[in-house]
């Protein structure tokens, strides 16, 4: 796989049982690139390691006054330099390619998992942690893959050089062959402590990232309540904890680096002392002593890769563990696509768990006194349950039996807190859609005229509202404006079944009445389910369903239920117990008497509803 071939057609199924297993899975999938890196790395490191032999031959040629031998040494030196240059160039190219392709593979499997889990992801993992995994953790995992590309070649080179030195000069070669493994493992006792400190640093950095993400997301609210300094102080404190943890980790790695410098120096001193002793006895020549001495100097270069791979693994292991934790998350129900064919079903939407039925082509409003229960039911209707439950049926077909793409094509769910991505309005509305609903019609139905004017006013270089830019998460807009843009995006998609969870909770009543009319008109003939307690939306519905204690308690029209069903009336009119008793008496269900009937909150609501509809 080359960089220009990205993204992967299929990144594969990761082994997410643990961090090390995930790294091993990634290595196996990068095997071709690793073998290329090994080949180029061997050319590079062996060329570098052969330089001392060339120098030794040249020195011995000068001692022996042999011009032919000196010319041979020069030729070998030129050949080693060429191999060094070519090997270094292509090793770097291959190692960076391995880094980028590995990072791309991890990002693709993370993106696939995010798309598969949907909104359930942020309920099980903090949003800041997801951001940290997809940015900093991916980079560290890629670093480990890139470092491994060079480490394998360095390790093989050291083994080859040690064997060569033993053959070339047995006395000094044996000293080097025994000393180099000691150098390689000298820092192993310090690695667990360094790894623990790196884990602490990564954990604190992750918490700081989560805190920063939450603070930025709630900045508007924080300013409103004057809590900016409080959260800034918390972030400063978290940032200082990260700094202290980073310093402690750096101290340990500095000690490891110092040992990596000290130990080769001690080996070099030992070899020189022993070599001089052998030279005096005539057991080694000057050229052989120079060759062994130079080899030790050169081998400190590949030895540095032992430190790098240890550092890369220490930093990538917690990152891989965090990535594996996200990738190990599974949907509450498995939409494995057991049903053959790519046809998207149509028909009535039915939830066996609650008994909720949304007839095909009708606008069904659902009233639920518990907002959290309403949110969970809305997600279940879209095939995204947060817990195991009986599958929702669409046209008699369980959504769990459909491939995930087909299920999402059939049913679109807009939750109560939709996200607006940064970019132009045209890009926001550039979503998969049927093509039967124009963006202009969707914006008009969602009553976005003032939103378009605000976007044009805030964009200096946009005359066309569709080219106006939306800031990250639409923070420059009010809550009602963001909500209407999200509704327009959902209407523009024009799915077979549209599920809306409190789509007008942040708009005023007059705008809400116009939205109710626009949605009813635009979705005519299509299945629409709206979770709401707004009388303005309920009055426009073909069918209203009351969910109480997880089951369907009543079905009818809004004006029928508000008179006949006390539990429905309590949710819709926000009645207190005292007001409910007064309403009951006013409707004739209370004790008889000659007292005049007092106007009830129910009648006031109905009167206000009619006035708003007339003005809208």
């Amino acid at each position: 796989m080359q960089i220009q071939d990205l993204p992967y057609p299929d990144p594969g199924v990761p082994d997410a049982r643990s961090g090390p297993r995930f790294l091993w899975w990634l290595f196996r999938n990068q095997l071709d690139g690793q073998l290329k890196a090994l080949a180029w790395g061997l050319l590079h490191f062996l060329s570098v390691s052969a330089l001392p032999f060339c120098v030794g031959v040249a020195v011995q040629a000068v001692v022996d006054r042999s011009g032919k031998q000196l010319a041979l040494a020069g030729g070998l030196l030129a050949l080693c330099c060429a191999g060094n240059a070519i090997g270094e160039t292509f090793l770097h190219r291959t190692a960076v390619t391995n880094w980028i392709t590995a990072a791309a593979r991890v990002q693709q499997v993370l993106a696939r998992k995010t798309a598969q889990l949907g909104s359930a992801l942020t309920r099980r993992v903090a949003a800041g942690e997801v951001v940290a995994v997809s940015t900093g953790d991916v980079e560290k995992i890629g670093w480990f893959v890139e470092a491994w590309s060079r480490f394998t070649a360095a390790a093989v080179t050291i083994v080859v050089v040690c064997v060569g030195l033993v053959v070339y000069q047995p006395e000094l070669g044996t000293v080097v062959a025994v000393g180099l493994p000691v150098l390689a493992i000298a820092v192993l006792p310090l690695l667990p402590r360094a790894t623990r400190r790196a884990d602490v640093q990564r954990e604190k950095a992750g918490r700081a990232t989560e805190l920063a993400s939450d603070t930025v997301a709630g900045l508007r609210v924080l300013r409103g309540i004057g809590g900016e300094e409080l959260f800034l102080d918390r972030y400063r404190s978290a940032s200082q904890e990260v700094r202290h943890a980073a310093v402690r980790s750096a101290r340990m790695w500095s000690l490891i680096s110092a040992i990596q410098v000290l130990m080769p120096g001690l080996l070099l001193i030992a070899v020189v002392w022993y070599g001089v002793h052998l030279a005096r006895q005539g057991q080694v020549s000057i050229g052989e002593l120079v060759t062994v001495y130079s080899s030790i100097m050169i081998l400190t270069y590949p030895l540095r890769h032992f430190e790098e791979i240890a550092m890369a693994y220490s930093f990538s292991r917690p990152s891989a563990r965090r990535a594996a934790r996200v990738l190990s998350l599974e949907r509450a129900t498995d939409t494995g696509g057991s049903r053959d064919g790519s046809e998207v079903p149509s028909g009535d939407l039915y939830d066996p768990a609650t008994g909720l039925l949304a007839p095909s082509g009708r606008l069904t409003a659902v009233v639920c006194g518990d907002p959290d229960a309403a949110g969970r039911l809305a997600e279940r209707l879209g095939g995204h349950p947060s817990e195991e439950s009986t599958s929702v049926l669409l046209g008699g077909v369980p959504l769990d039996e459909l491939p995930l793409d087909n299920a999402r094509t059939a049913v679109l769910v807009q939750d109560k807190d939709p996200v607006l991505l940064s970019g132009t309005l045209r890009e926001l509305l550039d979503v998969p859609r049927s093509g039967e609903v124009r963006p202009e019609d969707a914006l008009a139905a969602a009553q976005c005229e003032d939103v378009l004017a605000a976007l044009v006013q805030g964009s200096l270089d946009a005359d066309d509202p569709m080219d106006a830019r939306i800031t990250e998460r639409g923070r420059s807009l009010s809550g009602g404006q963001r909500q209407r843009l999200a509704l327009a995006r959902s209407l523009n998609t024009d799915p077979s079944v549209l599920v809306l969870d409190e789509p007008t909770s942040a708009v005023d009543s007059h705008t809400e009445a116009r939205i109710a009319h626009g949605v009813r008109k635009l979705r005519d003939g299509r299945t629409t389910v709206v979770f709401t307690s707004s009388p303005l939306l309920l009055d426009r519905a073909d069918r209203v369903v009351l969910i109480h204690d997880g089951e369907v308690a009543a079905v009818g029209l809004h004006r029928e239920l508000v008179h006949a069903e006390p539990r429905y009336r309590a949710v819709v009119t926000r009645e207190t117990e005292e007001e409910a008793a007064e309403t009951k008496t006013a409707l004739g269900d209370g004790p008889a008497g000659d007292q005049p009937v007092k106007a009830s909150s129910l009648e006031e609501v109905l009167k206000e509803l009619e006035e708003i509809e007339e003005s809208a």
Side-chain angles (χ1 to χ4, degrees):
M1 172 63 70
Q2 298 299 316
I3 296 176
Q4 62 265 24
D5 298 327
L6 294 174
Y8 288 95
D10 180 13
V13 180
D15 186 347
R17 289 176 291 177
S18 66
R21 288 178 181 271
F22 177 70
L23 291 175
W24 173 242
W25 168 82
L26 189 61
F27 172 78
R28 286 188 286 109
N29 281 272
Q30 301 287 130
L31 188 58
D32 290 345
Q34 294 293 347
L35 291 177
K36 290 180 182 179
L38 176 61
W40 292 116
L42 286 176
L43 176 61
H44 168 58
F45 287 118
L46 289 176
S47 297
V48 172
S49 301
L51 291 175
F53 175 75
C54 300
V55 173
V57 172
V59 171
Q60 191 62 43
V62 173
V63 173
D64 296 340
R65 298 180 180 276
S66 173
K68 183 178 180 180
Q69 192 175 359
L70 185 60
L72 175 63
L76 292 175
L77 190 62
L79 184 62
C80 290
C81 290
N84 179 22
I86 296 173
E88 169 73 8
T89 299
F90 285 95
L91 172 61
H92 178 75
R93 178 187 178 92
T94 307
V96 172
T97 299
N98 289 342
W99 182 346
I100 295 176
T101 54
R105 187 185 296 274
V106 176
Q107 286 180 327
Q108 280 188 245
V109 294
L110 285 171
R112 185 176 62 186
K113 177 61 68 173
T114 302
Q116 180 186 9
L117 294 174
S119 60
L121 175 63
T122 51
R123 286 199 302 270
R124 301 165 69 178
V125 179
E129 182 171 350
V130 177
V131 173
V133 170
S134 60
T135 54
D137 287 336
V138 168
E139 182 179 355
K140 289 180 175 61
I141 293 171
W143 174 34
F144 173 73
V145 173
E146 188 261 350
W148 186 267
S149 301
R150 296 192 302 271
F151 167 74
T152 52
V156 172
T157 299
I158 289 176
V159 173
V160 170
V161 171
C162 288
V163 173
L165 287 177
V166 171
V167 174
Y168 177 71
Q169 174 44 248
E171 291 83 358
L172 293 178
T174 301
V175 175
V176 175
V178 173
L180 282 178
V182 175
L183 297 183
I185 66 175
V187 297
L188 288 182
L190 299 178
L191 287 181
R193 183 175 298 180
T195 302
R196 287 194 298 269
R197 292 190 180 186
D199 289 348
V200 171
Q201 177 192 351
R202 190 68 193 86
E203 180 182 354
K204 291 184 179 297
R207 285 203 297 265
T209 302
E210 294 172 15
L211 180 60
S213 177
D214 294 340
T215 302
V216 172
L219 192 58
R220 182 188 294 270
V221 178
L222 292 176
R223 286 175 176 170
I225 63 176
E228 296 169 90
E229 288 300 324
L230 174 62
F231 276 80
L232 285 175
D233 288 341
R234 291 182 180 178
Y235 181 74
R236 291 190 188 101
S237 176
S239 179
Q240 289 302 312
E241 290 181 4
V242 175
R243 184 179 68 85
H244 289 308
V247 170
R248 294 186 71 248
S249 179
R251 287 173 179 168
M252 183 57 63
W253 288 110
S254 297
L255 177 59
I256 292 175
S257 297
I259 292 176
Q260 289 287 317
V261 173
L262 175 64
M263 297 300 288
L266 295 177
L267 177 61
L268 187 62
I269 293 173
V271 169
V272 171
W273 178 84
Y274 185 56
V276 170
H277 175 71
L278 294 178
R280 286 179 176 178
Q281 295 179 353
Q283 298 182 24
V284 298
S285 65
I286 298 299
E288 291 174 337
L289 179 59
V290 170
T291 299
V292 176
Y293 170 82
S294 301
S295 296
I296 298 174
M297 293 292 294
I298 292 295
L299 285 178
T300 57
Y301 170 54
L303 276 174
R304 299 292 295 180
H305 290 80
F306 284 78
E307 176 192 349
E308 182 185 10
I309 194 63
M311 183 181 294
Y313 179 73
S314 298
F315 279 91
S316 66
R317 190 172 65 88
S319 296
R321 185 173 63 244
R322 290 161 63 99
R325 186 156 68 93
V326 174
L327 293 171
S328 65
L329 298 176
E330 297 293 341
R331 291 170 54 87
T333 56
D334 180 22
T335 53
S338 58
R339 182 175 291 269
D340 295 332
S342 59
E343 183 179 353
V344 177
S346 60
D348 297 343
L349 186 67
Y350 177 67
D351 177 30
T354 60
L356 172 63
L357 174 66
S360 176
R362 308 283 293 279
L363 173 58
T364 302
V366 180
V367 176
C368 186
D370 184 357
D372 293 334
R376 291 192 295 270
L377 177 55
E379 291 180 347
R380 190 162 68 247
L381 291 178
H384 317 301
S386 57
E387 54 191 22
E388 292 188 10
S389 61
T390 306
S391 175
V392 171
L393 306 178
L394 178 60
V397 178
L399 289 181
D400 290 354
E401 295 183 4
L402 296 176
L404 187 58
D405 292 343
N406 288 6
R408 290 181 172 175
T409 300
V411 184
L412 173 65
V413 179
Q414 177 182 302
D415 60 26
K416 63 184 64 178
D417 187 23
V419 175
L420 299 182
L421 302 179
S422 59
T424 65
L425 181 58
R426 193 184 310 278
E427 292 170 342
L428 177 71
L429 299 178
D430 185 16
V431 293
R433 56 183 183 268
S434 67
E436 297 181 11
V437 176
R438 299 185 307 160
E440 295 79 5
D441 296 334
L443 291 168
Q447 301 299 311
C448 294
E449 292 85 357
D450 62 315
V451 184
L452 299 181
L455 289 175
V456 172
Q457 185 177 3
S459 301
L460 300 178
D461 56 348
D463 296 329
D464 186 350
M466 299 297 289
D467 295 327
R469 295 199 63 81
I470 300 172
T471 57
E472 182 186 5
R473 301 181 71 92
R475 290 194 177 95
S476 61
L477 303 173
S478 67
Q481 290 174 329
R482 291 196 299 270
Q483 196 172 58
R484 281 178 281 164
L485 281 181
L487 176 59
R489 179 177 58 188
S490 299
L491 294 174
N492 183 43
T493 303
D494 190 34
S496 301
V497 180
L498 176 60
V499 180
L500 303 172
D501 188 6
E502 295 290 352
T504 59
S505 59
V507 302
D508 61 84
S509 56
H510 293 280
T511 304
E512 188 175 27
R514 293 193 292 270
I515 291 175
H517 174 74
V519 171
R520 174 60 187 264
K521 181 178 179 181
L522 192 65
R523 294 289 300 173
D524 185 34
R526 299 174 179 84
T527 307
T528 307
V529 181
V530 181
F531 286 81
T532 183
S533 59
S534 167
L536 295 169
L537 288 174
L538 294 170
D539 197 49
R540 290 283 185 177
D542 299 313
R543 173 185 173 93
V544 179
V545 180
L546 172 65
I547 302 293
H548 184 73
D549 290 337
E551 296 181 350
V552 173
V555 180
L557 296 176
H558 167 63
R559 293 176 184 260
E560 297 173 353
L561 293 176
V562 82
H563 282 285
E565 178 55 59
R567 291 171 296 184
Y568 177 84
R569 185 168 56 249
V571 176
V572 173
T573 64
R574 278 78 167 178
E575 280 185 334
T576 63
E577 293 182 0
E578 295 178 355
E579 292 173 337
E582 292 180 1
T583 302
K584 186 175 181 180
T585 303
L587 294 175
D589 295 331
D594 298 331
Q595 299 177 357
V597 177
K598 182 180 179 181
S600 67
S601 60
L602 168 61
E603 295 169 341
E604 293 174 354
V605 168
L606 292 177
K607 183 178 179 181
E608 181 182 357
L609 174 62
E610 293 174 353
E611 292 176 351
I612 292 174
E613 288 182 338
E614 291 175 358
S615 62

